[in-house]
Amino acid sequence: MDVVERLRDENEMLREKLRQLEDVLKPEVNAPEGCHLTPSELLIFRHLSLGRLSSRDNLRSILYSDRVDEPDTYNIIDVFIVSLRKKLRPYGFALETVWGRGWKLVRLQEEAE
């Protein structure tokens, strides 16, 4: 086996491992029926629906892990959060800000308790 062929095999193996990791990090959780989310908003919703606190850097890496060479998009996360808040509120969800740490998805009933 020559070097190029070995590197192709290794590359294919690494791509499969990456696909498996992405499946774990981007679970198949559906948005509420009738809530029309963009693909990026859906990725954020799916991640936050795991119940964990997510930082700006964490959300950015989920959205742009395949585009590391693109210019910094630091504030775009704020745009997605604002949009998600507006779209999810009628369906009983809220995005709670934990200052200095990130956001978490909560049900509005839980917020009142």
Side-chain angles (χ1 to χ4, degrees):
M1 183 182 285
D2 68 340
V3 173
V4 173
E5 192 174 326
R6 194 173 72 242
L7 288 174
R8 281 188 183 132
D9 289 344
E10 182 179 354
N11 190 14
E12 185 59 35
M13 180 192 66
L14 291 171
R15 286 181 189 274
E16 176 58 22
K17 284 184 179 183
L18 176 61
R19 188 196 61 74
Q20 291 172 4
L21 288 170
E22 285 176 338
D23 287 347
V24 171
L25 293 173
K26 299 174 186 175
E28 290 299 320
V29 175
N30 293 322
E33 186 72 32
C35 184
H36 303 288
L37 301 180
T38 67
S40 294
E41 291 168 344
L42 185 56
L43 284 174
I44 293 172
F45 175 78
R46 286 176 173 168
H47 181 73
L48 291 172
S49 68
L50 297 173
R52 294 187 221 130
L53 179 68
S54 296
S55 69
R56 179 185 313 276
D57 288 337
N58 184 251
L59 294 177
R60 188 173 44 181
S61 70
I62 288 166
L63 291 176
Y64 302 110
S65 63
D66 60 338
R67 298 177 262 172
V68 294
D69 295 333
E70 287 191 13
D72 190 13
T73 54
Y74 200 72
N75 291 332
I76 194 67
I77 301 302
D78 295 326
V79 173
F80 288 129
I81 294 296
V82 168
S83 178
L84 278 167
R85 281 182 169 145
K86 288 178 185 176
K87 291 180 178 182
L88 293 174
R89 184 169 277 290
Y91 297 94
F93 292 99
L95 293 178
E96 181 180 289
T97 300
V98 180
W99 292 106
R101 297 185 56 210
W103 299 272
K104 65 180 182 176
L105 184 68
V106 296
R107 290 238 177 229
L108 290 174
Q109 297 87 344
E110 293 175 5
E111 204 174 62
E113 292 175 2

